[in-house]
Structure formats: structure tokens, C-alpha cells
Amino acid sequence: MRAEPFTRKSGVMAALPAANIDTDVIMPKTFLKGIDRSGLDRGLFHDLRFDENENPRPDFVLNRPPWNEASFLVTGANFGCGSSREHAVWGLRQFGIGAIVAPSFAGIFFDNCARNGLLAIEASDSQVGILIEHAQAGVGEVTIDLETQTIATPERSFHFDIDERRKTMLLNGLDAVGMTLQWRDEIETFQSRYLADHDWLA
Amino acid sequence: MTQPRTLYDKLVDSHTVRRLDEEGRQVLLYVDRTVLNEYTSPQAFTGLREAGRDVFRPRSAIAVVDHVNSTRPDRDALRADRANDAQMSYLQKNCDDFGIELFDLFHSQQGIEHVVMPELGLALPGMVIAAGDSHTTTYGAFGSLGFGIGTSDIEHFLATQTLVYTRLRNMRVEVDGALPVGVTAKDIIMAVVRQLGADGARGYAVEFAGSAIGNLSIEGRMTVCNMAVECGARGAVIAPDEKTFSYLADKPRAPRGALLEKALTAWQSLRTDPGAAFDAYVEIDAAAIAPMVTWGTSPDQAAPVTDVIPDPAHETNDARRRDAERALDYMGLAPGTRLRDIAIDRAFIGSCTNARLEDLRAAATVLQGRKVAPGVAAAVVPGSSEVRRRAEAEGIDRIFIDAGFEWRQSGCSMCLAMNDDVVAPGERCASSTNRNFEGRQGAGARTHLMSPAMVAAAAVAGRLCDVRSMEASHAG
Ligand code: SF4
């Protein structure tokens, strides 16, 4: 599948200042029953966003203006730990989240982001701390520019690191499968040799 | 002279089709095998269909129904749920159309994906296995590299037999010494997760080594590798040994005869070379491990069952303190409470972590001649239909039933509660599963993770309980 490209985006940043926010919390299992990707915006942080009667919980950040229109999240370490469910990333995208800043991300979640045009930025603890403060104040937009690798609030801006391949994929919204299939012959050659050497797997 | 290499590095090197950067940190990785389930694969197949692509090597995949199916004795019970039915039907259609072998609800070998693969002999030393489930790390128990991937990568694998892979750093976790009586593989990995933290092995592949790991059965090693993902590891390996080879000897799809001879020669070299350097080392004294239970909502929020609930006020790290306060609030628990005083409503033995035959035997040993405490709803869900049959052949089902446990069909069940096996809001469950996340076993459910024997002991006591005290009282 072709992911939507990410180049530069401005918007509101919402803070979820906790570590180890897991994929069960990001996308509870009741929303995993589809065979397509639809309806996952409703599922996003569902049990935090809605009460037993499906009414929005007024105290949850994504239910309160201006964060109900958030384009970015800033959060604690190891965001997206737990299950491999890509539904978590699809839900974030459908809600309108284009980038997430955290001290670290869980491995599978991090890869899932890149596959779906969601920019996951690893920043230092102090940068995350500053962004959390900024986000919680609820004033002023944040601009994230992938080309120049900067995050800017009205007051300051930071540089962030990202590996080249991931950056190219995000900037161009490339079809990863299509890219790999350009090496189809190479894969086939590898496979024939590999299966000849490991004939118990053939 | 070639550099000494770790087992993990050997696995990655032997599967590298091409380097994607100069240092070989990113590679195009050949993947031997996958197992597909009904809930993370549908959109991958839709992706293939929309792009008009085929599956590269259909025989390198199998598919199972495990996450959404009912585990009631009447296997068809949940067909009435239209969403679950749609996932099962679509998996069936995808397997038919793309030529993939399916172990559906009524197949005699149906079960949880990570229980079925080893039981069939499809997880072999030296392989790379990637699957749409984070607990794919389980296969490290065979000296293969297993790791979880998302749906886009399932599609990538199906279409290309490869993944774009970023090499991990190497961590060695050495567990030496004799495990005390009543302490199991589950307690080892819970102690490791507690010590490292929920992200302590993030970015690493962990090699488990040491005499305590060597002494574990293959089933125990699977438990250890399975839960390595709970400290963030995206790959866990244990060098294969004679135990591994004899485990595989009678598995239906494992190689035999001349092929096996050849495989065995290759498998001997699947070990870390002497002198190979790891990026991180952890040592654990097996003799010091006690039966573990979790008290919070992250698998690293755990303690020996003999402890009290820690006071978050003593936590110097602000973030960790807030997390612990939040967890205790969700769990309805107060600091200082003795873990053994926590009363439970439910007991659950199941999941790819702890529902193999050895796990059921361990629980049955505790339950023999005992009864589940009044007011506790207890259930056992065997990891596979094969485990269920074998347990029945040994009479273990009778021990569970006589003790007051429900004896159910196989599936993921209450490990993630995607079917109708759900812990009610506010209910407290002693569980042999792998995740105690908020809402994991049902909205508002309170989960305490522990070994199967500890779940059995808790079921009998009606509260969290040190299985060692129970064994003693039984003997005396
Ligand atoms: S038993 Fe639990 S952890 Fe294992 S595959 Fe099923 S849902 Fe995932």
C-alpha cells in the first residue's frame, strides 16, 4: 500500500505524559474486529476518551479544545508497546495525528508508523519535557518539518534525527512492497541458493 | 580471521539478501516462515488484492484461527457474532485464493499460533520467522529468530518473502544456578522483565544463556522467549542443544532421516562464538528468584509473592512514580498491602505463554485433591487442540474439572478477550498470561500475572498465594 507523504505540517500538539502507553490502550480490542481499516478513529484511546455509555469523558485531553483537533502527540517513553496491531497506527492517522514525539517508541509500533506515513520522532527527555509544557499550555501551533528535520513552537525550535531510508519513505509516500520488488531477481537467486543449502526447508 | 559473532548476528547474516546501507545496519532480510491469524492479516491480503500481487512462496505460511473464536465446548458458539465470523471467513477465502494451509476452528491441530507452530515442528533452529503478533519471539527457544510485525509488513513479507530490517544490538542475559522448588520459567522471565523494565531491552535482541536456561525444558524456554517482548526485546534467542533436537524428533513436519542428519550438522554451529561481544550484559541468580506476581498494569510492575505492594512515594523517578500511582488506582490496591492478602474473583490458565502440556501438568499437580475457593470462577484454556487431547489422555482434564475449573476449547481466549471470555469491570483475575495492561482482559479488568502453578494456588486459596506454602501443606 502507498502511504500518504509527510513533508511539513502545522497544528496543535496534545500531551499524554505517561510512559509505556500500550497498544491495548491506544486501540482496544473491540475495534480489531474489522477486515478493513475503517472506523478506527472512534477506537483511538477509546476507554480513556469515552465512558461506559459512550459519552466523551470531559477531562480527557483529546476531548478538550484545542486538543480535540490535535495534529501531533507528545508522550512518554516506550510509546506503543505491547501488541503488533497496526490498527493503533491507523486509528491515530484517522484521528488526524501526523506525528508523535517521544523519548522512545516500541519497535513494532515504530515500524508500523513509518509504513503508514506517521512520523515518529525520538527526542531527548528535555526536549520532550519542553514540548509537554508547551502542549499543556494549549496556546500556539507546532510546526514539524521533515525536510529540515525540525520541530518548532512559536518560542523555539529543535533539530531531530531520523534515518535516511525512513525519511525518504515518509517524504515520498513510497510503496514499500513495490520498492522491494525491484530486487525480485536477487531475492529469487538468494532463495534458490538458500534452499539448496538448507534442503530440509525446501 | 572472521570476527567472532553472536548467534543473533549469525541468523541475520545468513538471511541477508542485500545490504540497504553501507554498514549493513539495514538489510533486506529473507524470512523463512510466517503464521497468520484472522485479525492482523485481513488488510494485508486486501493490500495484495488491490495491487494485483501474489504470495511469493505460499508454502512458507500457515494460518490459524485463534484470537476471536469461542472456547466454549460448542466450538460454533461465536459464529453468531458477525464481525468474528467475517474475519474467519475472510481468512478462509484468502487461504483458498492464495494457496495457504489453514488450521481453522474445526481442524484437529487448531490452537494458538505460537503453540501450533512448534508442535507441528514448523519452528526450526536457524530460521527467521516473522509474524503479525508480538509474541513471535517465542521461536527463539529453538535457536531461530522470531519477531512480531505489523500488517503492512505481513503484506510486504507475503509479496516479497523479505522484510526491510534494522539490525538490533546484542544483549546477553545469563541466568545461572538452580531454580528453587516451585519457581518456574515464568518466574525467571517475570524477574528479568522486572529488573530490566518494560523498555529495558528495547532495540536489543536478547540471548538467554546460563545453566538455569539450559536446565529448562523446551516448553519452559518458549515461555522465557515469549515474554522477552514485555521488556521490549524484538528477538530472543537460545542456542539449540540436545534437548531442542530431541523435542523436534517426533514433530510431524520436522525433517527426518537424511535431511535431519544434514540439518543437525548445520544446527550444531548455531551458537555464539567464544569471544563475541555483546552490547549489554545482565546476570541473574536463579537461586534468588521467588514466585512472581504483578501488582500493576505493566508487566514490569511485579514483585515476589512474599512482598508487599511498593509505595510509589518511595519512587525517586517522577514518571515512574506517576505510572505506579495510576496503576494502583486502576488496580484498586493500596501500597503496603501484602500481595498474599489480595482476594481474586477469577483464575485463568491459558495463552501462548503458559498453556502447553507442561504448564497444565504443573497446575494440575497443585489442584490434585483440592477445590477452587467459593466465589472464584476458574477456567483453563489449553494452548492447542493437541495439548487438550494429550491432557485428556493423561487425565489432567479430570483434575481440573474435579477442582472446579472449566475445561475449555483452545484459543487465545481471556489473554486478550477478543471473544466472549471477558473479565468484568473491577473483577480481579489471577492469570497465566503475559500482559496486565489496562483493559487487556476486559474493560476495567484487573489482571495479576503469574505462573500456571501460582494461578492454581490462587484459585484454591481465593487470593494470591505462594504456591510453595501450598505444596508444603499438601505434603504434610
Ligand atoms: S495467547 Fe495472547 S499473547 Fe498469545 S497470541 Fe494469543 S492473544 Fe497474543
Side-chain angles (χ1 to χ4, degrees):
Chain A
M1 206 200 57
R2 224 181 163 79
E4 207 181 301
F6 186 110
T7 41
R8 183 171 192 275
K9 204 175 165 117
S10 296
V12 172
M13 182 174 267
L16 290 168
N20 304 322
I21 295 182
D22 59 73
T23 50
D24 279 77
V25 168
I26 302 171
M27 187 59 62
K29 60 195 137 263
T30 3
F31 296 89
L32 307 180
K33 292 189 172 184
I35 56 171
D36 56 17
R37 301 168 196 229
S38 65
L40 296 170
D41 45 349
R42 178 79 187 179
L44 183 70
F45 297 115
H46 181 272
D47 297 352
L48 300 176
R49 266 166 76 206
F50 302 101
D51 67 17
E52 307 74 53
N53 304 316
E54 291 295 311
N55 295 316
R57 296 181 193 272
D59 50 338
F60 185 64
V61 61
L62 295 182
N63 288 330
R64 286 157 49 203
W67 303 286
N68 56 343
E69 307 263 306
S71 304
F72 310 119
L73 288 184
V74 56
T75 180
N78 203 29
F79 186 78
C81 62
S83 104
S84 64
R85 60 186 74 161
E86 201 161 307
H87 310 67
V89 174
W90 300 332
L92 285 158
R93 296 292 283 125
Q94 287 170 24
F95 184 85
I97 302 296
I100 308 176
V101 187
S104 63
F105 294 87
I108 305 175
F109 180 85
F110 192 61
D111 284 352
N112 286 343
C113 285
R115 310 286 183 259
N116 290 276
L118 179 58
L119 175 57
I121 301 173
E122 290 187 310
S124 69
D125 284 339
S126 67
Q127 290 172 349
V128 167
I130 291 166
L131 289 172
I132 287 177
E133 253 176 57
H134 172 83
Q136 288 177 332
V139 284
E141 293 206 325
V142 173
T143 298
I144 298 184
D145 189 326
L146 178 56
E147 200 100 54
T148 60
Q149 298 178 220
T150 49
I151 310 175
T153 70
E155 298 84 37
R156 50 203 302 175
S157 85
F158 309 112
H159 178 82
F160 64 86
D161 289 329
I162 181 167
D163 86 45
E164 271 313 310
R165 200 188 148 81
R166 213 172 275 260
K167 180 172 174 179
T168 315
M169 295 285 296
L170 282 162
L171 282 174
N172 302 305
L174 295 174
D175 164 20
V177 175
M179 294 228 324
T180 297
L181 283 176
Q182 64 177 319
W183 299 312
R184 185 172 189 116
D185 291 348
E186 218 171 310
I187 298 170
E188 269 166 4
T189 309
F190 178 93
Q191 178 170 274
S192 337
R193 185 172 43 80
Y194 178 83
L195 292 179
D197 289 350
H198 303 79
D199 49 0
W200 60 93
L201 301 177
Chain B
M1 251 202 54
T2 50
Q3 282 271 103
R5 291 178 301 162
T6 64
L7 171 53
Y8 167 76
D9 285 330
K10 290 182 186 181
L11 291 169
V12 175
D13 291 346
S14 62
H15 288 78
T16 296
V17 176
R18 63 151 44 217
R19 290 177 165 207
L20 300 177
D21 59 19
E22 262 168 36
E23 317 87 81
R25 217 177 71 81
Q26 275 200 345
V27 299
L28 189 66
L29 191 74
Y30 182 83
V31 177
D32 292 280
R33 195 156 274 167
T34 197
V35 52
L36 302 155
N37 64 45
E38 71 279 30
Y39 99 94
T40 61
S41 75
Q43 299 85 352
F45 282 106
T46 303
L48 290 181
R49 289 175 187 280
E50 284 170 2
R53 288 175 178 138
D54 225 339
V55 172
F56 197 96
R57 190 171 190 246
R59 56 183 304 200
S60 68
I62 65 162
V64 297
V65 169
D66 56 358
H67 282 70
V68 307
N69 58 283
S70 168
T71 60
R72 283 186 240 162
D74 162 19
R75 297 230 71 156
D76 232 358
L78 266 198
R79 280 271 157 175
D81 181 322
R82 299 229 334 270
N84 287 348
D85 189 37
Q87 288 188 330
M88 290 193 269
S89 309
Y90 193 46
L91 186 64
Q92 173 85 58
K93 176 172 166 51
N94 288 327
C95 288
D96 288 350
D97 290 355
F98 290 94
I100 292 169
E101 186 180 11
L102 172 65
F103 296 80
D104 74 0
L105 203 47
F106 300 98
H107 196 290
S108 65
Q109 302 286 342
Q110 179 274 345
I112 304 171
E113 50 186 306
H114 308 309
V115 179
V116 170
M117 284 273 282
E119 182 169 90
L120 290 172
L122 287 176
L124 299 174
M127 277 185 167
V128 170
I129 301 172
D133 186 278
S134 59
H135 292 98
T136 307
T137 50
T138 307
Y139 309 119
F142 297 92
S144 57
L145 172 63
F147 58 93
I149 53 176
T151 302
S152 298
D153 274 346
I154 298 176
E155 181 183 336
H156 191 283
F157 163 77
L158 289 173
T160 71
Q161 203 64 28
T162 63
L163 291 171
V164 172
Y165 183 78
T166 306
R167 207 180 260 275
L168 302 165
R169 282 170 293 169
N170 285 281
M171 178 187 288
R172 181 178 166 96
V173 173
E174 174 138 353
V175 191
D176 277 309
L179 274 186
V181 175
V183 180
T184 65
K186 179 67 160 284
D187 302 300
I188 295 183
I189 189 61
M190 286 180 70
V192 169
V193 171
R194 180 198 195 203
Q195 182 168 330
L196 289 174
D199 66 347
R202 201 178 45 80
Y204 287 97
V206 174
E207 177 166 351
F208 289 99
S211 60
I213 300 295
N215 289 334
L216 291 177
S217 67
I218 297 303
E219 300 200 344
R221 293 180 194 177
M222 283 195 251
T223 302
V224 169
C225 290
N226 174 284
M227 266 187 81
V229 70
E230 308 312 337
C231 51
R234 205 168 168 200
V237 291
I238 295 175
D241 60 11
E242 287 309 319
K243 272 188 200 170
T244 324
F245 309 144
S246 66
Y247 174 94
L248 292 169
D250 65 346
K251 298 295 175 283
R253 309 278 178 97
R256 286 175 198 281
L259 284 180
L260 177 61
E261 290 309 311
K262 205 168 159 195
L264 281 170
T265 315
W267 293 346
Q268 304 292 349
S269 64
L270 292 170
R271 53 192 62 254
T272 292
D273 295 327
F278 288 80
D279 304 290
Y281 293 89
V282 176
E283 280 176 25
I284 306 239
D285 175 10
I289 301 176
M292 301 289 291
V293 298
T294 58
W295 50 262
T297 54
S298 173
D300 60 342
Q301 290 172 327
V305 65
T306 44
D307 272 18
V308 299
I309 293 175
D311 190 342
H314 298 148
E315 176 60 64
T316 47
N317 176 302
D318 278 353
R320 270 206 296 277
R321 190 184 59 247
R322 276 198 309 269
D323 290 344
E325 282 166 356
R326 189 191 149 91
L328 288 181
D329 183 49
Y330 178 88
M331 293 295 288
L333 294 170
T337 309
R338 282 181 2 143
L339 288 165
R340 284 167 296 167
D341 289 340
I342 298 174
I344 59 161
D345 308 297
R346 285 182 176 269
F348 177 69
I349 295 173
S351 87
C352 59
T353 310
N354 277 131
R356 286 172 289 267
L357 192 55
E358 179 179 294
D359 302 313
L360 302 196
R361 283 186 188 140
T365 305
V366 174
L367 292 172
Q368 177 96 53
R370 293 195 165 101
K371 292 270 181 235
V372 170
V376 174
V380 54
V381 173
S384 69
S385 303
E386 173 84 12
V387 168
R388 188 172 194 267
R389 270 192 304 278
R390 290 193 178 214
E392 286 173 352
E394 286 184 16
I396 289 179
D397 58 326
R398 284 311 332 163
I399 299 178
F400 280 110
I401 294 164
D402 290 347
F405 268 76
E406 273 186 78
W407 178 249
R408 305 195 61 133
Q409 299 276 4
S410 172
C412 294
S413 180
M414 219 175 259
C415 176
L416 92 166
M418 260 183 90
N419 64 354
D420 54 342
D421 303 334
V422 177
V423 176
E427 275 188 345
R428 195 177 292 287
C429 182
S431 184
S432 76
T433 54
N434 43 56
R435 287 185 176 141
N436 51 344
F437 296 156
E438 283 183 27
R440 172 85 178 177
Q441 294 191 295
R446 292 161 169 170
T447 303
H448 294 273
L449 303 177
M450 60 198 78
S451 75
M454 285 282 287
V455 174
V460 169
R463 55 187 166 73
L464 305 191
C465 166
D466 188 340
V467 64
R468 295 170 302 183
S469 64
M470 192 159 270
E471 276 163 358
S473 75
H474 194 52

